[in-house]
């Protein structure tokens, strides 16, 4: 029997290791998918913690820890409810005008499609409307059952939000002590490496979270002002849609602005819709060449191709939630790998005490954090 080449032995050794790692990753994601409500709630709790850690620290210097956490959480909840109430008021106030403008806009679009070069059959859209009405009438019971299942889904969403708020309270109240306790349970041989990895992961996660919120808010303000001055109805709700869509990098903003373009086409005509399409290009350039390099460069140093693949893979694996979580997950994984690699390469590299990582102002284990009783 001829001897096995060194290349084949090396390839085989790496192959079985990759298979083991792949099986472990698949098992982790299978468990997370089985308990996806808990996973989403804890992720939202970490997001809230990353956003409110700094104001909680400042309040903790003058107030007891529990009071400072409660004030920041309640204040944030009231701010969010106020924004949603503003959006609801805007929609209710423009509903009659918007319905009339949509009818007129659809009629103008139909007339435009009937002219050259499209030459659409005049009865095509009318036939489509009649078919849609017939479908709704024949599937009324199915739609009703789906609406009832949607009510059950609403209960699940409220449960996830309640668990997220509950977990964020305890993360803000004693996240540093929870991390110290966790590190203390580990063997001394791995405690330092886990501390380094935890500090790097938290710095990257907080940097990404704050950065993406700032980018999303900037996009929403720009879109809202542009739609307002163009006279497009529902400027505030569409700006809010842009804010939430910006949490899906590279994909979310164009989709949200495409919805705005459809609204502009139906309400204001092709010219204004064309301006909104041009707005998509401008916002994309501002986000890609100005906001992300200035705001996100310290937290996320991923190639745009890696970001795109991560978003698509996350969407395939877990839908919209996967698309939102994919980029921060990949960023945190890469930062942990980089931190551990640098620690191995640097003689006398960063050391971490047994109580867990010491992180800068954005970290979860800062000695001057929210644990300060004031």
């Amino acid at each position: 029997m001829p001897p096995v080449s060194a290349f084949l032995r090396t390839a085989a050794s790496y192959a079985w290791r990759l298979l083991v790692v792949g099986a472990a990753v698949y098992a982790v994601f299978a468990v997370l998918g089985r308990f996806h409500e808990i996973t989403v709630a804890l992720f939202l709790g970490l997001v809230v913690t990353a956003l409110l850690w700094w104001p909680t620290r400042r309040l903790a210097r003058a107030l007891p820890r529990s009071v400072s956490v409660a004030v920041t959480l309640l204040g944030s909840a009231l701010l969010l409810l106020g924004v949603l109430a503003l959006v609801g008021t805007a929609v209710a106030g423009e509903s009659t005008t918007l319905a009339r403008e949509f009818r007129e806009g659809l009629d103008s679009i139909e007339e435009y499609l009937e002219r050259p070069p499209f030459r659409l059959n005049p009865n095509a859209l009318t036939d489509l409307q009649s078919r849609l009405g017939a479908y709704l009438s024949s599937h009324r019971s199915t739609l009703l059952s789906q609406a009832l299942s949607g009510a059950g889904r609403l209960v699940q969403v409220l449960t996830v939000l309640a668990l997220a708020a509950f977990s964020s309270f305890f993360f803000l109240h004693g996240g540093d002590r929870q991390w110290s306790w966790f590190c203390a349970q580990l063997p001394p041989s791995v405690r330092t490496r886990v501390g380094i990895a935890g500090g790097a992961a938290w710095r990257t996660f907080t940097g990404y979270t704050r950065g993406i919120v700032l980018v999303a808010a900037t996009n929403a303000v720009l879109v809202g002002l542009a739609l307002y001055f163009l006279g497009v109805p529902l400027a505030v709700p569409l700006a809010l849609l842009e804010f939430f869509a910006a949490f899906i990098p590279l994909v979310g903003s164009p989709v949200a602005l495409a919805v705005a373009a459809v609204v502009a086409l139906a309400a204001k005509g092709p010219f204004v819709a064309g301006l909104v399409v041009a707005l998509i290009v401008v916002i994309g350039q501002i986000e890609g060449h100005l906001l992300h390099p200035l705001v996100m460069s310290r937290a996320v140093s991923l190639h745009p191709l890696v970001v795109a693949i991560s978003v698509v893979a996350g969407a395939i694996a877990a839908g919209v939630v996967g698309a939102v979580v994919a980029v921060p997950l990949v960023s945190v994984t890469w930062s942990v790998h980089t931190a551990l690699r640098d620690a191995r390469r640097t003689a006398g590299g960063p050391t971490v005490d047994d109580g867990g990582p010491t992180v800068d102002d954005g970290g979860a284990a800062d000695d001057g954090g929210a644990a300060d009783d004031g």
Side-chain angles (χ1 to χ4, degrees):
M1 181 176 180
V4 179
S5 65
F7 171 78
L8 185 58
R9 287 196 301 268
T10 304
S13 64
Y14 278 105
W16 74 259
R17 288 181 175 88
L18 288 175
L19 288 175
V20 172
V21 172
V25 171
Y26 178 81
V28 169
F29 277 94
V31 173
L32 293 179
R34 180 66 180 84
F35 301 97
H36 62 276
E37 290 91 353
I38 298 177
T39 304
V40 173
L42 292 179
F43 176 78
L44 292 177
L46 290 174
V47 170
V48 173
T49 304
L51 294 175
L52 300 184
W53 182 264
W54 185 84
T56 302
R57 283 192 58 193
R58 294 298 178 263
L59 284 177
R61 295 179 177 180
L63 298 173
R65 182 191 313 166
S66 300
V67 176
S68 63
V69 174
V71 168
T72 52
L73 286 176
L74 290 177
S76 303
L78 291 176
L79 178 62
L80 179 60
L81 292 177
V83 172
L84 295 178
L86 176 63
V87 172
T89 303
V91 173
E94 298 182 11
S95 58
T96 304
T97 304
L98 183 62
R100 185 185 71 253
E101 291 180 346
F102 258 82
R103 285 194 298 269
E104 296 174 354
L106 291 176
D107 292 337
S108 63
I109 292 173
E110 184 176 359
E111 294 176 359
Y112 178 76
L113 293 176
E114 291 172 1
R115 297 195 299 267
F118 300 100
R119 299 185 183 277
L120 183 68
N121 187 350
N123 298 323
L125 294 180
T126 304
D127 185 59
L128 179 62
Q129 293 176 1
S130 62
R131 289 183 180 181
L132 180 60
Y135 176 83
L136 294 177
S137 300
S138 60
H139 295 79
R140 187 174 303 171
S141 59
T142 303
L143 295 175
L144 181 60
S145 64
Q146 291 180 353
L148 294 177
S149 66
R153 180 72 64 178
L154 178 61
V155 174
Q156 292 182 353
V157 170
L158 294 177
T159 303
V160 169
L161 293 178
L163 180 58
F166 188 73
S167 60
S168 62
F169 177 86
F170 287 100
F171 290 158
L172 289 168
H173 187 272
D176 49 352
R177 295 196 302 274
Q178 295 170 15
W179 177 255
S180 299
W181 176 86
F182 173 76
C183 289
Q185 311 309 310
L186 300 175
S189 59
V190 301
R191 201 172 295 170
T192 298
R193 293 196 299 273
V194 171
I196 294 173
W202 184 246
R203 282 193 299 271
T204 300
F205 184 79
T206 53
Y208 176 85
T209 303
R210 295 168 184 173
I212 197 66
V213 168
L214 181 58
V215 170
T218 304
N219 286 357
V221 170
L222 293 176
V223 170
L225 290 176
L227 295 179
Y228 174 79
F229 286 114
L230 290 175
V232 178
L234 300 178
V236 175
L238 290 173
L240 186 64
L241 176 63
E242 166 65 22
F243 175 80
F244 287 111
F247 284 87
I248 305 178
L250 301 180
V251 178
S253 293
V255 171
L257 289 174
V259 174
V262 173
V263 174
L265 179 63
K268 294 298 180 180
F271 178 73
V272 176
L275 293 179
V276 175
V277 172
L279 179 65
I280 296 176
V281 179
V282 173
I283 293 294
Q285 294 299 314
I286 293 175
E287 180 181 350
H289 295 87
L290 181 62
L291 294 178
H292 273 280
L294 290 178
V295 177
M296 305 287 290
S297 59
R298 289 188 59 192
V300 181
S301 56
L302 299 178
H303 193 276
L305 180 60
V306 176
V307 175
I309 294 175
S310 302
V311 171
V312 174
I316 294 174
V320 177
V321 175
V324 174
V325 174
V327 176
L329 179 61
V330 173
S331 302
V332 166
T333 303
W334 179 251
S335 68
V336 169
H337 166 72
T338 304
L340 293 177
R341 181 192 61 193
D342 294 342
R344 287 194 302 267
R345 290 180 176 178
T346 304
T351 58
V352 181
D353 60 14
D354 293 346
T358 299
V359 185
D360 61 10
D361 289 345
D366 193 348
D367 292 338
D372 189 0
D373 290 331

